[in-house]
Amino acid sequence: DTGVSQDPRHKITKRGQNVTFRCDPISEHNRLYWYRQTLGQGPEFLTYFQNEAQLEKSRLLSDRFSAERPKGSFSTLEIQRTEQGDSAMYLCASSPRTGNGETQYFGPGTRLLVL
Amino acid sequence: AQTVTQSQPEMSVQEAETVTLSCTYDTSENNYYLFWYKQPPSRQMILVIRQEAYKQQNATENRFSVNFQKAAKSFSLKISDSQLGDTAMYFCAFGGGSEKLVFGKGMKLTVNP
């Protein structure tokens, strides 16, 4: 069990550019979550997948954000036309089973800085 | 909507002492789960302890225990015999009928030698 991995760990981009982050969940975890964490705050939910289906999206996820999990394994989160307000840590988590209350296991995060 | 409040932004404790971190939440749900996560500096978030709301018995994990007061909607974390490695941000989180976790703002704990 290698844990949740995220790539890249750090990303610096200029305003208006597109960025894509990748998350590899723990093997055989069928739920995958994306959160955003800004400085001094707790993580805020963005979206989650059960296998390849995206089941819930937060209002925080504007039209510039899109997430996919094409084969129910890894997931990508793309931000188009980045804005300075998108600067944050983007966290991915996975959990092993369906049902409420399952522990979510977090990756190390991708820290995004938009200049 | 659920909310989670951690009113203490920062605490410090001496090594080997006991410290209690407070958390309150608001929900209209009856079946839910509560979590404490730890985020060490520049490291990933890890689960410290988990409590099912339907269980009256407070959860314990080695030096970590909780005081779960369902009626008061309070979920505090007690760390006994604090160690330097306990220095981290601690987040209280609520998991209910929705799959997402709702986190508090976190509390920075520093354990001093």
Side-chain angles (χ1 to χ4, degrees):
Chain A
D1 185 348
T2 57
V4 179
S5 61
Q6 293 186 245
D7 184 68
R9 296 289 306 276
H10 302 274
K11 179 70 177 180
I12 300 174
T13 191
K14 292 182 180 180
R15 189 176 54 185
Q17 298 294 306
N18 299 343
V19 294
T20 300
F21 309 142
R22 175 177 170 130
C23 171
D24 287 87
I26 294 171
S27 179
E28 298 181 355
H29 278 195
N30 57 22
R31 289 208 165 168
L32 186 148
Y33 308 80
W34 286 99
Y35 291 84
R36 181 171 69 188
Q37 185 178 20
T38 53
L39 201 61
Q41 301 293 322
E44 294 176 293
F45 171 79
L46 292 178
T47 188
Y48 91 93
F49 294 83
Q50 181 170 313
N51 299 315
E52 66 274 11
Q54 188 174 18
L55 297 186
E56 186 176 349
K57 293 194 292 186
S58 163
R59 288 173 294 177
L60 292 175
L61 214 63
S62 75
D63 291 344
R64 298 184 297 104
F65 288 70
S66 63
E68 293 183 343
R69 193 183 183 196
K71 296 184 179 180
S73 57
F74 72 91
S75 174
T76 58
L77 177 68
E78 181 183 17
I79 309 174
Q80 297 182 326
R81 305 182 302 282
T82 53
E83 301 173 356
Q84 289 184 326
D86 297 330
S87 296
M89 175 78 86
Y90 291 84
L91 297 170
C92 177
S94 68
S95 66
R97 292 177 293 274
T98 58
N100 299 335
E102 291 294 338
T103 296
Q104 296 183 19
Y105 297 85
F106 284 82
T110 294
R111 186 172 295 280
L112 173 66
L113 178 61
V114 182
L115 301 176
Chain B
Q2 291 81 17
T3 58
V4 176
T5 302
Q6 294 180 251
S7 57
Q8 307 152 303
E10 192 166 354
M11 292 181 74
S12 63
V13 65
Q14 294 300 119
E15 200 174 4
E17 290 185 345
T18 295
V19 61
T20 298
L21 287 60
S22 64
C23 172
T24 58
Y25 60 94
D26 190 23
T27 184
S28 58
E29 297 184 32
N30 194 44
N31 295 321
Y32 52 87
Y33 299 79
L34 295 163
F35 305 83
W36 278 99
Y37 279 88
K38 167 186 175 181
Q39 190 175 39
S42 301
R43 295 182 61 188
Q44 67 198 77
M45 195 170 303
I46 58 174
L47 178 72
V48 175
I49 200 164
R50 173 177 176 269
Q51 172 80 43
E52 295 92 339
Y54 63 86
K55 288 187 177 179
Q56 292 185 336
Q57 187 173 7
N58 289 324
T60 62
E61 286 288 345
N62 301 315
R63 297 183 296 109
F64 300 89
S65 62
V66 299
N67 182 5
F68 173 48
Q69 301 289 328
K70 190 172 184 179
K73 295 180 181 174
S74 171
F75 183 61
S76 61
L77 173 69
K78 185 172 82 171
I79 306 175
S80 303
D81 186 26
S82 298
Q83 301 176 359
L84 296 178
D86 295 333
T87 292
M89 287 291 295
Y90 286 81
F91 293 94
C92 179
F94 174 98
S98 169
E99 292 305 316
K100 65 183 180 184
L101 292 179
V102 177
F103 286 85
K105 289 188 175 183
M107 196 217 70
K108 182 179 179 181
L109 177 68
T110 302
V111 180
N112 298 308

